Each structure stands twice: as C-alpha cells, then as structure tokens.
Amino acid sequence: MVKKLPAGSADIQDRDKRIKKQSHYKIGQALEESSKELSTDMPLHHVLLNSGDLEKSLAECIVDSELETESKVVRRLKLILDKEIQEISTLKRNVSRTLQEYASITRNYEAAKRLDEPQAKINNIKDQQEQCEVRLEKERDMWAAQMFELIAKEDVIVHCIRDYVLNQRNYHERALHKVNTSLANIQDIIESTVKSRFGTSLNDHLASTNRQISYIIELCVCCLVENGLHEEGLLRVGCASTKLRRMKHALEAQHVKTPLSVDYQDPHVIGSILKLYLRELPEPLLTFKHYDDFIRTVERHSEQERKAAIKATLEKLPKANYDNLRYLTKFLWLVTQNVEYNKMSSHNLAIVMSPNMLWPRRDENNPDDYMGQVNSSSAVNIIIDLMINHWDYFFEGDVDFFVTLQR
C-alpha cells in the first residue's frame, strides 16, 4: 500500500483523466486493493474500504497543497512497516538457516547409524541435533511473535489513516461533509473493535465485547479445566518468555481461536497468560478503592471475623469485578480439588495468584517501601487463601465456566 502512494501532482488534462492522476484517486485504489488482502471481519478491512471511497471523492476537488498531507502519511506508515518487515525478514532467514542446519545434522546422524560409526560419534551428532532442534523452535517462536506483533498494530495503522482523513478537512472545505461522514464511520469501527487487549480496563473490555466475564479469563480457565487440572505445578510453573510473548501477541491480534491449536495448548503457557492478563489490568481485580478495606480484614482476631469482613468488602466491589472474581476463584477452588495431581493447595495458589489480584497504588513519596510491600503481600495471600478454601461462604450458586465458549 505504501509503495502505491503517489509522490507528485497530476498534469492539467480533461476532468476524468485529471481525477485519475490525482494522488487521492490513486490512494483510493491502493486502499481498496489492500483491503482485499484482509478478512472482511477485520476492522482494518472496513477502514481501508471506507477511506478508499473517500479518497476518490476528494480527488474531484483536490489542490496541490494536499501533497504535503500525503507525504506525512506515507512517512508514518513507512516508519511502522519498514522496521517490522525488516525484523520479520531477518527472523525468517534465521529460521531457514537453522532449518537447513538441522536437516544437515539429521542426515549426518542417519548416515552415522547406517555406517555403524562409533557410538561416541553418534551420540555427539545426536546432541548437536537436539540442540539445533531447541534453537529452531525458539527462532520459530520469535518469528511468529514478531509477525503477530505487526498484526496487533492494526489499531496504530487505523489511527494513522484516521489522522490522514482529518488533515484533508483543512484543504477541502467543499468536501467537508464527505470527510466528516467518512471520519464518523471510521470512528465507529474503532469504537466497535473488540478490546481484548492486555492493559485494557476490565469495564472497557466487557463493554466493547458485551460480555460478563473477560474473554481472556474465560479462555484460559476453560482451556485449563479441559486440559490442565492434573498438571503438576499448575499456575506456579512458568514458561519460556518467547512462548508467553507469542501467545500474548496472538491473543491481541485475535489469532487464537478455540479449540486451541497445538502451539497454544501448554497449560503452563496458558496459566502464565492468565496471570499476565490480571497483572496488566490498569486496576487490580479487587480494586485500588477497596485495597485498605481488604488489608484491614486480616487484622481481625479470628478466622470467622476475617471471613465476615472479607465478605462485606466483596459486596462493595463493582459488579464486573465481583463477577469475574467469583468466576476466577471458583476455578482456583477446582484446582485445589485436584491437589493430589497438581500439588497446588489453596495456600500455594494464593502465593502465586494474589500478587496478580490485588496490589497497592504506587507510593510516589516512598516507592521502595519494601517492608510495606511484604506485609501487604502476606495479607493478600491470606485473603485469597480464604476465598479459595471457603468459596461457598463468600459466593452463592455455582459457576458454569463455559459461558460463551463450547467444550
């Protein structure tokens, strides 16, 4: 698309030929052509189509000064795409090179066995083969993650196009109505885009998706319910950073669908994604507002008093937070019912999950308050442990984990 953006003005000719030589007309064609390469359910597809139609309309009343706008848009898109594509190309070459190396080592290994070479030599080649295989998998993950990262920048490209449309209004007073109409359509597409991104507030995500339970929470929980409850160290054992980064960007790019492909079925990766999503919420699930209330509950003298105080504080939570907390803690309770396999008691789960469910606002005057952080972490551990162990006390009814997903 960027390569097709024109860099010069058209000659003075008859109206039809002049319109076709105008930069906006060519941009309109390029945008429409680019949209054909995208799935029709992608917001960028509709933005490109909408913008293409606008550009052809603006071509009828364009002036030479519009070229300045074109150059700014070209430059912004180029900065995004050149960097990402160059990195993707480099990673692709690395994968191809390692794949060739792996094939060569495999041939050597087979030849050594066939020629009955010394066992030490065969073992040495086998070790090389295994090391190369590990390196190949890592490079494939890095390559895939980089491609998903580019796809996940769709909203950046959309906003770039929107800014381009906004600039046209300064130069085309006669086309102002068309520009505003197009801009409104693009804005509607942006606002209706599913916000399942990491770092998006829970309320924004639920509102944009018309959901009661966060999509990422439900996806992770359902996958672990089906294929993870017996996994030893579930939610405690981590995963390779490349695996975590790949799945995160795949989710942001809306590439992950159920049932999960084999690339995304590792329970430890899914568990790490769940913790990462909770940790990257702008506000913890138990909220900043009620942080002090929750911490004070631990100061009660008996467990029954603590439980009563925690329950009273839970009832103050916003409905979205309460519903998602109820759903999540029911899953954590289910994990403890399989403790003989996964070795994850409520105490162990509280240790690994509590830092992702409640934390204090950063104290700008005392950012390194280590003892305060330790004390609050200990208190939150107790709260989460109680919620898991006594789920039926804090919450009513039962939970169907498969709210929108199917088994």
Short mmCIF file of all heavy atoms in Angstrom, two decimals, residues 110-166:
data_model
loop_
_atom_site.label_atom_id
_atom_site.label_comp_id
_atom_site.label_asym_id
_atom_site.label_seq_id
_atom_site.Cartn_x
_atom_site.Cartn_y
_atom_site.Cartn_z
N GLU A 110 21.80 -39.97 10.51
CA GLU A 110 21.31 -41.18 9.85
C GLU A 110 22.47 -41.92 9.17
O GLU A 110 22.54 -43.16 9.20
CB GLU A 110 20.21 -40.82 8.84
CG GLU A 110 18.94 -40.22 9.45
CD GLU A 110 18.25 -41.20 10.38
OE1 GLU A 110 18.39 -42.42 10.16
OE2 GLU A 110 17.58 -40.74 11.31
N ALA A 111 23.35 -41.17 8.58
CA ALA A 111 24.50 -41.79 7.89
C ALA A 111 25.42 -42.48 8.90
O ALA A 111 25.93 -43.58 8.64
CB ALA A 111 25.27 -40.74 7.11
N ALA A 112 25.62 -41.84 10.05
CA ALA A 112 26.49 -42.43 11.06
C ALA A 112 25.93 -43.75 11.58
O ALA A 112 26.66 -44.72 11.80
CB ALA A 112 26.68 -41.44 12.21
N LYS A 113 24.60 -43.77 11.79
CA LYS A 113 23.98 -45.02 12.25
C LYS A 113 24.06 -46.10 11.17
O LYS A 113 24.30 -47.27 11.47
CB LYS A 113 22.53 -44.76 12.62
CG LYS A 113 22.35 -43.92 13.88
CD LYS A 113 20.96 -44.06 14.46
CE LYS A 113 19.92 -43.59 13.46
NZ LYS A 113 18.56 -43.67 14.02
N ARG A 114 23.85 -45.67 9.90
CA ARG A 114 23.85 -46.64 8.80
C ARG A 114 25.24 -47.24 8.61
O ARG A 114 25.39 -48.43 8.28
CB ARG A 114 23.37 -45.95 7.52
CG ARG A 114 23.16 -46.90 6.35
CD ARG A 114 22.50 -46.22 5.17
NE ARG A 114 23.25 -45.08 4.67
CZ ARG A 114 22.95 -43.83 4.87
NH1 ARG A 114 21.88 -43.52 5.60
NH2 ARG A 114 23.69 -42.85 4.39
N LEU A 115 26.27 -46.42 8.79
CA LEU A 115 27.65 -46.88 8.58
C LEU A 115 28.25 -47.49 9.86
O LEU A 115 29.43 -47.83 9.88
CB LEU A 115 28.51 -45.70 8.12
CG LEU A 115 28.11 -45.09 6.76
CD1 LEU A 115 28.94 -43.86 6.47
CD2 LEU A 115 28.24 -46.12 5.65
N ASP A 116 27.41 -47.60 10.88
CA ASP A 116 27.84 -48.21 12.14
C ASP A 116 29.09 -47.52 12.70
O ASP A 116 30.07 -48.16 13.08
CB ASP A 116 28.12 -49.71 11.93
CG ASP A 116 28.15 -50.46 13.28
OD1 ASP A 116 27.57 -49.91 14.25
OD2 ASP A 116 28.73 -51.55 13.35
N GLU A 117 29.02 -46.17 12.75
CA GLU A 117 30.12 -45.38 13.29
C GLU A 117 30.21 -45.63 14.81
O GLU A 117 29.27 -46.14 15.43
CB GLU A 117 29.86 -43.90 13.02
CG GLU A 117 29.85 -43.50 11.55
CD GLU A 117 31.24 -43.34 10.97
OE1 GLU A 117 32.23 -43.54 11.73
OE2 GLU A 117 31.34 -43.04 9.79
N PRO A 118 31.32 -45.24 15.43
CA PRO A 118 31.45 -45.40 16.88
C PRO A 118 30.30 -44.72 17.63
O PRO A 118 29.82 -43.65 17.22
CB PRO A 118 32.78 -44.73 17.19
CG PRO A 118 33.55 -44.83 15.90
CD PRO A 118 32.56 -44.70 14.82
N GLN A 119 29.86 -45.36 18.71
CA GLN A 119 28.72 -44.86 19.46
C GLN A 119 28.95 -43.44 19.99
O GLN A 119 28.03 -42.62 20.04
CB GLN A 119 28.40 -45.79 20.64
CG GLN A 119 27.08 -45.44 21.34
CD GLN A 119 25.89 -45.56 20.40
OE1 GLN A 119 25.82 -46.47 19.58
NE2 GLN A 119 24.98 -44.62 20.47
N ALA A 120 30.19 -43.13 20.35
CA ALA A 120 30.51 -41.79 20.85
C ALA A 120 30.24 -40.73 19.79
O ALA A 120 29.72 -39.65 20.08
CB ALA A 120 31.97 -41.73 21.30
N LYS A 121 30.60 -41.05 18.54
CA LYS A 121 30.38 -40.10 17.45
C LYS A 121 28.89 -39.93 17.20
O LYS A 121 28.40 -38.81 16.98
CB LYS A 121 31.07 -40.59 16.18
CG LYS A 121 30.90 -39.66 15.00
CD LYS A 121 31.68 -40.13 13.79
CE LYS A 121 31.51 -39.17 12.61
NZ LYS A 121 32.27 -39.62 11.42
N ILE A 122 28.17 -41.07 17.24
CA ILE A 122 26.71 -40.99 17.02
C ILE A 122 26.06 -40.15 18.12
O ILE A 122 25.19 -39.30 17.84
CB ILE A 122 26.11 -42.42 16.99
CG1 ILE A 122 26.62 -43.18 15.76
CG2 ILE A 122 24.58 -42.35 16.96
CD1 ILE A 122 26.17 -44.63 15.70
N ASN A 123 26.47 -40.36 19.35
CA ASN A 123 25.89 -39.60 20.46
C ASN A 123 26.19 -38.11 20.33
O ASN A 123 25.37 -37.25 20.65
CB ASN A 123 26.43 -40.12 21.79
CG ASN A 123 25.91 -41.51 22.11
OD1 ASN A 123 24.89 -41.94 21.54
ND2 ASN A 123 26.58 -42.22 23.00
N ASN A 124 27.39 -37.80 19.87
CA ASN A 124 27.78 -36.39 19.68
C ASN A 124 26.91 -35.72 18.62
O ASN A 124 26.45 -34.60 18.80
CB ASN A 124 29.25 -36.32 19.28
CG ASN A 124 29.71 -34.88 19.11
OD1 ASN A 124 29.50 -34.04 19.99
ND2 ASN A 124 30.33 -34.59 17.98
N ILE A 125 26.67 -36.45 17.52
CA ILE A 125 25.81 -35.89 16.45
C ILE A 125 24.38 -35.73 16.97
O ILE A 125 23.69 -34.75 16.67
CB ILE A 125 25.85 -36.79 15.20
CG1 ILE A 125 27.27 -36.86 14.63
CG2 ILE A 125 24.87 -36.28 14.15
CD1 ILE A 125 27.43 -37.81 13.45
N LYS A 126 23.93 -36.72 17.77
CA LYS A 126 22.58 -36.65 18.33
C LYS A 126 22.43 -35.43 19.23
O LYS A 126 21.40 -34.73 19.20
CB LYS A 126 22.30 -37.94 19.13
CG LYS A 126 20.91 -38.00 19.75
CD LYS A 126 19.83 -38.00 18.68
CE LYS A 126 18.45 -38.18 19.30
NZ LYS A 126 17.39 -38.09 18.27
N ASP A 127 23.46 -35.15 20.04
CA ASP A 127 23.41 -33.96 20.91
C ASP A 127 23.32 -32.69 20.08
O ASP A 127 22.58 -31.76 20.41
CB ASP A 127 24.67 -33.91 21.79
CG ASP A 127 24.66 -34.99 22.86
OD1 ASP A 127 23.58 -35.54 23.14
OD2 ASP A 127 25.74 -35.28 23.41
N GLN A 128 24.09 -32.64 18.98
CA GLN A 128 24.04 -31.47 18.09
C GLN A 128 22.64 -31.32 17.50
O GLN A 128 22.11 -30.21 17.38
CB GLN A 128 25.07 -31.63 16.96
CG GLN A 128 26.52 -31.60 17.42
CD GLN A 128 27.49 -31.80 16.26
OE1 GLN A 128 27.14 -31.56 15.11
NE2 GLN A 128 28.69 -32.25 16.57
N GLN A 129 22.05 -32.46 17.14
CA GLN A 129 20.71 -32.43 16.55
C GLN A 129 19.68 -31.88 17.55
O GLN A 129 18.84 -31.03 17.20
CB GLN A 129 20.30 -33.83 16.11
CG GLN A 129 18.94 -33.89 15.40
CD GLN A 129 18.50 -35.31 15.15
OE1 GLN A 129 18.67 -36.18 15.98
NE2 GLN A 129 17.93 -35.55 13.97
N GLU A 130 19.76 -32.33 18.80
CA GLU A 130 18.81 -31.88 19.81
C GLU A 130 19.00 -30.39 20.12
O GLU A 130 18.02 -29.65 20.28
CB GLU A 130 18.98 -32.70 21.09
CG GLU A 130 18.53 -34.16 20.91
CD GLU A 130 18.85 -35.01 22.15
OE1 GLU A 130 19.53 -34.50 23.05
OE2 GLU A 130 18.40 -36.16 22.18
N GLN A 131 20.24 -29.94 20.20
CA GLN A 131 20.50 -28.52 20.45
C GLN A 131 19.98 -27.66 19.30
O GLN A 131 19.41 -26.59 19.52
CB GLN A 131 22.00 -28.30 20.65
CG GLN A 131 22.56 -28.92 21.92
CD GLN A 131 24.08 -28.82 22.00
OE1 GLN A 131 24.70 -28.15 21.18
NE2 GLN A 131 24.67 -29.51 22.97
N CYS A 132 20.18 -28.15 18.10
CA CYS A 132 19.71 -27.41 16.92
C CYS A 132 18.19 -27.36 16.90
O CYS A 132 17.60 -26.34 16.52
CB CYS A 132 20.25 -28.07 15.65
SG CYS A 132 19.89 -27.14 14.15
N GLU A 133 17.55 -28.46 17.31
CA GLU A 133 16.09 -28.50 17.33
C GLU A 133 15.53 -27.49 18.32
O GLU A 133 14.54 -26.80 18.04
CB GLU A 133 15.62 -29.91 17.69
CG GLU A 133 14.10 -30.08 17.61
CD GLU A 133 13.66 -31.51 17.90
OE1 GLU A 133 14.53 -32.34 18.26
OE2 GLU A 133 12.47 -31.79 17.74
N VAL A 134 16.16 -27.39 19.50
CA VAL A 134 15.73 -26.40 20.50
C VAL A 134 15.88 -24.98 19.95
O VAL A 134 15.01 -24.13 20.10
CB VAL A 134 16.53 -26.57 21.80
CG1 VAL A 134 16.27 -25.41 22.76
CG2 VAL A 134 16.19 -27.90 22.46
N ARG A 135 17.03 -24.73 19.30
CA ARG A 135 17.27 -23.40 18.74
C ARG A 135 16.27 -23.09 17.63
O ARG A 135 15.78 -21.96 17.51
CB ARG A 135 18.70 -23.33 18.20
CG ARG A 135 19.12 -21.91 17.82
CD ARG A 135 20.62 -21.81 17.60
NE ARG A 135 21.04 -22.40 16.33
CZ ARG A 135 21.68 -23.55 16.22
NH1 ARG A 135 22.00 -24.24 17.30
NH2 ARG A 135 22.04 -24.04 15.03
N LEU A 136 15.94 -24.10 16.83
CA LEU A 136 14.99 -23.91 15.73
C LEU A 136 13.61 -23.54 16.28
O LEU A 136 12.94 -22.62 15.77
CB LEU A 136 14.90 -25.19 14.89
CG LEU A 136 13.89 -25.18 13.73
CD1 LEU A 136 14.23 -24.07 12.74
CD2 LEU A 136 13.88 -26.54 13.03
N GLU A 137 13.17 -24.24 17.35
CA GLU A 137 11.86 -23.94 17.92
C GLU A 137 11.82 -22.53 18.48
O GLU A 137 10.85 -21.79 18.30
CB GLU A 137 11.53 -24.95 19.02
CG GLU A 137 10.16 -24.73 19.63
CD GLU A 137 9.83 -25.76 20.70
OE1 GLU A 137 10.69 -26.61 20.98
OE2 GLU A 137 8.70 -25.70 21.24
N LYS A 138 12.90 -22.12 19.14
CA LYS A 138 12.95 -20.77 19.70
C LYS A 138 12.90 -19.72 18.60
O LYS A 138 12.19 -18.72 18.72
CB LYS A 138 14.24 -20.62 20.52
CG LYS A 138 14.38 -19.23 21.16
CD LYS A 138 15.65 -19.16 21.99
CE LYS A 138 15.80 -17.77 22.62
NZ LYS A 138 17.05 -17.68 23.42
N GLU A 139 13.63 -19.94 17.52
CA GLU A 139 13.64 -18.97 16.42
C GLU A 139 12.29 -18.92 15.72
O GLU A 139 11.85 -17.86 15.27
CB GLU A 139 14.75 -19.32 15.43
CG GLU A 139 16.15 -19.07 15.99
CD GLU A 139 17.27 -19.52 15.08
OE1 GLU A 139 16.98 -20.18 14.05
OE2 GLU A 139 18.43 -19.21 15.37
N ARG A 140 11.61 -20.06 15.63
CA ARG A 140 10.27 -20.07 15.05
C ARG A 140 9.30 -19.28 15.92
O ARG A 140 8.45 -18.53 15.41
CB ARG A 140 9.77 -21.51 14.90
CG ARG A 140 10.33 -22.24 13.67
CD ARG A 140 9.91 -23.69 13.65
NE ARG A 140 10.22 -24.33 12.37
CZ ARG A 140 10.22 -25.64 12.17
NH1 ARG A 140 9.91 -26.46 13.17
NH2 ARG A 140 10.51 -26.15 10.98
N ASP A 141 9.41 -19.43 17.24
CA ASP A 141 8.55 -18.68 18.14
C ASP A 141 8.80 -17.18 18.00
O ASP A 141 7.87 -16.38 17.99
CB ASP A 141 8.81 -19.11 19.59
CG ASP A 141 8.25 -20.49 19.88
OD1 ASP A 141 7.36 -20.95 19.15
OD2 ASP A 141 8.71 -21.11 20.86
N MET A 142 10.07 -16.80 17.92
CA MET A 142 10.40 -15.38 17.77
C MET A 142 9.87 -14.82 16.47
O MET A 142 9.36 -13.69 16.40
CB MET A 142 11.93 -15.21 17.84
CG MET A 142 12.53 -15.52 19.20
SD MET A 142 14.34 -15.51 19.20
CE MET A 142 14.66 -13.80 18.78
N TRP A 143 9.98 -15.60 15.41
CA TRP A 143 9.47 -15.18 14.10
C TRP A 143 7.95 -15.00 14.15
O TRP A 143 7.41 -13.98 13.71
CB TRP A 143 9.87 -16.23 13.06
CG TRP A 143 9.43 -15.93 11.65
CD1 TRP A 143 9.14 -14.72 11.10
CD2 TRP A 143 9.19 -16.88 10.60
NE1 TRP A 143 8.77 -14.83 9.78
CE2 TRP A 143 8.79 -16.16 9.45
CE3 TRP A 143 9.31 -18.26 10.53
CZ2 TRP A 143 8.48 -16.79 8.25
CZ3 TRP A 143 9.01 -18.89 9.32
CH2 TRP A 143 8.60 -18.16 8.20
N ALA A 144 7.26 -16.00 14.70
CA ALA A 144 5.80 -15.92 14.78
C ALA A 144 5.37 -14.76 15.66
O ALA A 144 4.44 -14.02 15.33
CB ALA A 144 5.24 -17.24 15.33
N ALA A 145 6.06 -14.55 16.80
CA ALA A 145 5.71 -13.46 17.69
C ALA A 145 5.86 -12.10 17.01
O ALA A 145 5.04 -11.20 17.20
CB ALA A 145 6.58 -13.50 18.95
N GLN A 146 6.91 -11.96 16.20
CA GLN A 146 7.13 -10.68 15.51
C GLN A 146 6.04 -10.42 14.48
O GLN A 146 5.58 -9.28 14.31
CB GLN A 146 8.50 -10.71 14.81
CG GLN A 146 8.97 -9.33 14.35
CD GLN A 146 9.28 -8.41 15.51
OE1 GLN A 146 9.78 -8.83 16.53
NE2 GLN A 146 8.95 -7.14 15.36
N MET A 147 5.60 -11.49 13.79
CA MET A 147 4.51 -11.32 12.82
C MET A 147 3.22 -10.96 13.53
O MET A 147 2.47 -10.08 13.07
CB MET A 147 4.35 -12.60 12.01
CG MET A 147 5.48 -12.84 11.02
SD MET A 147 5.15 -14.17 9.84
CE MET A 147 5.21 -15.60 10.92
N PHE A 148 2.94 -11.62 14.67
CA PHE A 148 1.73 -11.29 15.40
C PHE A 148 1.80 -9.87 15.96
O PHE A 148 0.78 -9.17 16.06
CB PHE A 148 1.51 -12.29 16.53
CG PHE A 148 1.14 -13.68 16.08
CD1 PHE A 148 1.69 -14.79 16.67
CD2 PHE A 148 0.24 -13.85 15.04
CE1 PHE A 148 1.36 -16.06 16.25
CE2 PHE A 148 -0.11 -15.11 14.60
CZ PHE A 148 0.46 -16.23 15.21
N GLU A 149 3.00 -9.44 16.33
CA GLU A 149 3.16 -8.09 16.85
C GLU A 149 2.81 -7.06 15.78
O GLU A 149 2.21 -6.03 16.07
CB GLU A 149 4.58 -7.89 17.35
CG GLU A 149 4.81 -6.56 18.04
CD GLU A 149 6.19 -6.45 18.67
OE1 GLU A 149 6.95 -7.44 18.63
OE2 GLU A 149 6.51 -5.37 19.18
N LEU A 150 3.19 -7.35 14.53
CA LEU A 150 2.84 -6.45 13.43
C LEU A 150 1.33 -6.42 13.22
O LEU A 150 0.72 -5.36 13.07
CB LEU A 150 3.55 -6.89 12.14
CG LEU A 150 3.18 -6.09 10.87
CD1 LEU A 150 3.48 -4.60 11.05
CD2 LEU A 150 3.93 -6.63 9.66
N ILE A 151 0.71 -7.63 13.25
CA ILE A 151 -0.74 -7.70 13.07
C ILE A 151 -1.45 -6.96 14.19
O ILE A 151 -2.46 -6.28 13.98
CB ILE A 151 -1.20 -9.18 13.02
CG1 ILE A 151 -0.59 -9.89 11.81
CG2 ILE A 151 -2.72 -9.27 12.97
CD1 ILE A 151 -0.84 -11.38 11.78
N ALA A 152 -0.89 -7.08 15.40
CA ALA A 152 -1.51 -6.44 16.56
C ALA A 152 -1.45 -4.91 16.49
O ALA A 152 -2.14 -4.24 17.25
CB ALA A 152 -0.86 -6.93 17.85
N LYS A 153 -0.62 -4.38 15.61
CA LYS A 153 -0.51 -2.92 15.45
C LYS A 153 -1.54 -2.39 14.48
O LYS A 153 -1.44 -1.26 14.00
CB LYS A 153 0.89 -2.54 14.98
CG LYS A 153 1.95 -2.70 16.05
CD LYS A 153 3.30 -2.19 15.60
CE LYS A 153 4.33 -2.29 16.72
NZ LYS A 153 5.66 -1.81 16.31
N GLU A 154 -2.55 -3.20 14.19
CA GLU A 154 -3.61 -2.79 13.28
C GLU A 154 -4.24 -1.47 13.71
O GLU A 154 -4.50 -0.58 12.88
CB GLU A 154 -4.68 -3.89 13.25
CG GLU A 154 -5.94 -3.51 12.49
CD GLU A 154 -7.01 -4.58 12.63
OE1 GLU A 154 -6.65 -5.76 12.78
OE2 GLU A 154 -8.19 -4.23 12.60
N ASP A 155 -4.47 -1.32 15.04
CA ASP A 155 -5.11 -0.10 15.51
C ASP A 155 -4.23 1.12 15.27
O ASP A 155 -4.73 2.23 15.05
CB ASP A 155 -5.48 -0.21 16.98
CG ASP A 155 -4.30 -0.61 17.85
OD1 ASP A 155 -3.27 -1.06 17.32
OD2 ASP A 155 -4.42 -0.46 19.07
N VAL A 156 -2.90 0.94 15.29
CA VAL A 156 -1.99 2.05 15.01
C VAL A 156 -2.16 2.51 13.56
O VAL A 156 -2.21 3.71 13.26
CB VAL A 156 -0.53 1.64 15.26
CG1 VAL A 156 0.42 2.78 14.91
CG2 VAL A 156 -0.35 1.22 16.71
N ILE A 157 -2.25 1.54 12.65
CA ILE A 157 -2.42 1.87 11.24
C ILE A 157 -3.77 2.53 11.02
O ILE A 157 -3.90 3.50 10.26
CB ILE A 157 -2.27 0.60 10.38
CG1 ILE A 157 -0.89 -0.03 10.59
CG2 ILE A 157 -2.48 0.91 8.91
CD1 ILE A 157 -0.70 -1.36 9.90
N VAL A 158 -4.81 2.01 11.72
CA VAL A 158 -6.15 2.59 11.59
C VAL A 158 -6.14 4.05 12.03
O VAL A 158 -6.69 4.92 11.36
CB VAL A 158 -7.16 1.78 12.43
CG1 VAL A 158 -8.49 2.52 12.54
CG2 VAL A 158 -7.37 0.41 11.81
N HIS A 159 -5.49 4.33 13.15
CA HIS A 159 -5.44 5.71 13.63
C HIS A 159 -4.62 6.60 12.69
O HIS A 159 -4.90 7.78 12.54
CB HIS A 159 -4.84 5.75 15.04
CG HIS A 159 -5.81 5.42 16.11
ND1 HIS A 159 -6.18 4.12 16.41
CD2 HIS A 159 -6.53 6.20 16.96
CE1 HIS A 159 -7.05 4.14 17.39
NE2 HIS A 159 -7.28 5.38 17.74
N CYS A 160 -3.64 6.03 12.05
CA CYS A 160 -2.87 6.80 11.08
C CYS A 160 -3.75 7.23 9.92
O CYS A 160 -3.70 8.38 9.46
CB CYS A 160 -1.69 5.96 10.59
SG CYS A 160 -0.62 6.80 9.42
N ILE A 161 -4.54 6.29 9.45
CA ILE A 161 -5.46 6.62 8.34
C ILE A 161 -6.49 7.64 8.79
O ILE A 161 -6.86 8.56 8.05
CB ILE A 161 -6.14 5.33 7.84
CG1 ILE A 161 -5.08 4.38 7.24
CG2 ILE A 161 -7.21 5.65 6.80
CD1 ILE A 161 -5.61 3.03 6.85
N ARG A 162 -6.95 7.50 10.03
CA ARG A 162 -7.92 8.47 10.54
C ARG A 162 -7.32 9.88 10.58
O ARG A 162 -7.96 10.86 10.20
CB ARG A 162 -8.36 8.06 11.96
CG ARG A 162 -9.42 9.00 12.54
CD ARG A 162 -9.57 8.83 14.03
NE ARG A 162 -8.36 9.25 14.73
CZ ARG A 162 -8.24 9.23 16.05
NH1 ARG A 162 -9.22 8.76 16.79
NH2 ARG A 162 -7.11 9.63 16.62
N ASP A 163 -6.07 9.98 11.03
CA ASP A 163 -5.40 11.28 11.05
C ASP A 163 -5.25 11.85 9.64
O ASP A 163 -5.35 13.07 9.43
CB ASP A 163 -4.03 11.16 11.71
CG ASP A 163 -4.13 10.85 13.19
OD1 ASP A 163 -5.22 11.07 13.75
OD2 ASP A 163 -3.13 10.39 13.76
N TYR A 164 -5.00 10.94 8.70
CA TYR A 164 -4.89 11.38 7.31
C TYR A 164 -6.21 12.00 6.85
O TYR A 164 -6.24 13.07 6.21
CB TYR A 164 -4.54 10.17 6.44
CG TYR A 164 -4.61 10.44 4.97
CD1 TYR A 164 -3.64 11.21 4.34
CD2 TYR A 164 -5.66 9.96 4.20
CE1 TYR A 164 -3.70 11.47 2.98
CE2 TYR A 164 -5.72 10.20 2.84
CZ TYR A 164 -4.74 10.96 2.25
OH TYR A 164 -4.81 11.22 0.91
N VAL A 165 -7.33 11.34 7.20
CA VAL A 165 -8.64 11.87 6.83
C VAL A 165 -8.88 13.22 7.49
O VAL A 165 -9.41 14.16 6.88
CB VAL A 165 -9.74 10.86 7.21
CG1 VAL A 165 -11.12 11.43 6.94
CG2 VAL A 165 -9.56 9.56 6.42
N LEU A 166 -8.47 13.34 8.75
CA LEU A 166 -8.65 14.62 9.46
C LEU A 166 -7.91 15.76 8.77
O LEU A 166 -8.42 16.89 8.68
CB LEU A 166 -8.14 14.48 10.89
CG LEU A 166 -9.10 13.83 11.89
CD1 LEU A 166 -8.37 13.50 13.17
CD2 LEU A 166 -10.28 14.74 12.16
#
